[in-house]
Amino acid sequence: MRKKALITGVTGQDGSYLADFLLEKGYDVIGMVRRASTETFERIAHIKDRLILKQADLLDELSLTRLMDDVQPDEIYNLAAQSFVPTSWEQPILTGEFTAIGVIRMLEAMRRSCPQAKFYQASSSEMFGKVLELPQTEATPFYPRSPYGVSKVFGHYITVNYRESYGLFAVSGILFNHESPRRGKEFVTRKISDGVARIKLGLADELRLGNLDAKRDWGYAGDYVEAMWTMLQQEDPDDYVIATGLAHSVRDFCRVAFGHVGLDWERHVVVDPAYVRPAEVEHLLGDASKARGRLGWQPRVSFEELVRMMVDADVKRLA
């Protein structure tokens, strides 16, 4: 029997890489999509004919229950969220509805329709926020610094709560920043790679950014979706930090990206206060020892390889 996996957020960066990965593993992959006036299937265009796309919405529990009744998935990956941190200050209530309450709606639908399934919740390093220790592990206290981070903490703990209260196989992956050529252009890494490509091709002359000193533990999304799957193949459900264990600043990202195409970043980057967050998260650095030890997972793509991959993809797209 082929296994069935249900992915919410299948049209996003992580959802598309996970769909690629699961199709390779021989799964039937069901992607949940929202009814929207503009359909964005760009990231899954290359596999769309191999996916089963079904409509449902994290804001509508009845649609989720019907979906799970219909599909009866073996594995559920909840990757859908309002995931852009700056937007979470502009739309804090909507962010809470999707990113926090949406998780309960998913867990309730699973509990009623397919309690034997395995559930993966996409937690985030943004939950650590104003970090209380370096590096951050599964035991580090959370101190979120944005409505997005607060919503993710709720989603994280409600997943733990349903696991302990109802005996569901439900896990959270606390993923540190993970990027790729499929990253949305509103995120700083993709903004840099796209900006570098435009400047290289003579389509722009400057790139406006916010805090260049913010440090992140950046990995490759293609590596990280493998960790999600591996968590659901374990004997017992548990939560894991997924990270590279190396932090780089936004300035480092600029230096590698511009350097890759033979440009001096300092001649093109302009610091713009408009892009500085109301409450900054200065230094995220993950310790994935538990995942390495128990899951046998480790990242394959280095920081420099990731930056070059993203710049090359944007140069190719714009050329």
Side-chain angles (χ1 to χ4, degrees):
M1 274 290 278
R2 285 162 69 92
K3 275 190 171 180
K4 286 186 282 190
L6 171 64
I7 304 174
T8 74
V10 73
T11 59
Q13 170 188 259
D14 292 9
S16 65
Y17 278 108
L18 181 62
D20 284 338
F21 178 82
L22 294 173
L23 287 169
E24 286 294 306
K25 291 265 177 208
Y27 278 68
D28 286 333
V29 180
I30 299 94
M32 185 183 105
V33 291
R34 295 175 67 207
R35 174 78 190 91
S37 52
T38 54
E39 302 289 10
T40 51
F41 295 129
E42 190 187 332
R43 295 185 184 94
I44 55 168
H46 63 294
I47 50 170
K48 193 161 175 254
D49 58 342
R50 298 170 63 198
L51 300 174
I52 302 158
L53 296 181
K54 300 230 174 226
Q55 280 189 5
D57 198 308
L58 284 184
L59 302 186
D60 179 11
E61 193 188 324
L62 186 57
S63 71
L64 300 176
T65 306
R66 281 185 181 141
L67 173 64
M68 291 191 203
D69 277 341
D70 179 28
V71 171
Q72 288 297 311
D74 299 292
E75 296 173 5
I76 299 163
Y77 296 88
N78 185 37
L79 310 185
Q82 190 302 98
S83 63
F84 188 46
V85 176
T87 299
S88 76
W89 275 287
E90 303 291 326
Q91 300 182 324
I93 296 164
L94 184 72
T95 299
E97 282 286 349
F98 275 116
T99 310
I101 307 301
V103 186
I104 292 198
R105 294 191 188 104
M106 286 292 292
L107 287 163
E108 270 297 300
M110 171 187 166
R111 186 168 78 85
R112 290 167 188 201
S113 301
C114 50
Q116 75 297 335
K118 294 183 172 186
F119 181 87
Y120 173 87
Q121 166 60 13
S123 285
S124 165
S125 58
E126 285 284 332
M127 301 189 305
F128 295 119
K130 188 174 180 180
V131 299
L132 300 176
E133 63 180 9
L134 277 172
Q136 293 96 49
T137 71
E138 293 80 5
T140 303
F142 299 135
Y143 194 146
R145 297 268 280 172
S146 66
Y148 170 74
V150 173
S151 300
K152 278 292 185 187
V153 171
F154 181 95
H156 179 84
Y157 278 132
I158 203 67
T159 301
V160 173
N161 187 255
Y162 269 60
R163 174 170 78 218
E164 294 176 353
S165 303
Y166 300 113
L168 299 179
F169 193 111
V171 308
S172 280
I174 306 172
L175 271 56
F176 279 66
N177 295 60
H178 45 289
E179 316 298 315
S180 75
R182 298 183 197 172
R183 189 55 137 158
K185 279 191 215 154
E186 68 274 23
F187 290 87
V188 70
T189 50
R190 184 70 196 289
K191 192 177 168 185
I192 294 169
S193 65
D194 178 71
V196 167
R198 287 178 187 281
I199 292 166
K200 179 64 181 172
L201 296 169
L203 302 171
D205 190 50
E206 67 172 30
L207 174 61
R208 302 183 84 82
L209 297 172
N211 181 7
L212 300 183
D213 296 317
K215 287 189 172 175
R216 295 290 182 274
D217 183 328
W218 276 304
Y220 171 53
D223 290 342
Y224 284 40
V225 298
E226 197 170 325
M228 300 176 185
W229 174 79
T230 309
M231 284 179 216
L232 295 194
Q233 312 316 309
Q234 302 308 300
E235 198 72 8
D236 299 307
D238 205 351
D239 307 322
Y240 296 88
V241 161
I242 302 298
T244 69
L246 296 168
H248 294 89
S249 66
V250 174
R251 184 179 276 101
D252 294 334
F253 203 104
C254 289
R255 187 174 41 73
V256 177
F258 279 93
H260 181 51
V261 294
L263 295 172
D264 177 1
W265 73 272
E266 292 183 83
R267 296 179 65 169
H268 300 282
V269 172
V270 178
V271 174
D272 186 338
Y275 294 114
V276 176
R277 295 179 179 188
E280 184 55 88
V281 174
E282 294 294 348
H283 196 168
L284 294 177
L285 175 64
D287 177 355
S289 304
K290 182 175 163 185
R292 279 202 304 276
R294 292 202 200 162
L295 307 178
W297 177 87
Q298 52 188 23
R300 297 193 184 99
V301 176
S302 73
F303 173 72
E304 285 77 10
E305 287 169 326
L306 171 66
V307 179
R308 293 196 291 264
M309 174 201 303
M310 291 177 69
V311 170
D312 287 343
D314 276 324
V315 169
K316 186 177 171 188
R317 180 180 59 84
L318 290 165

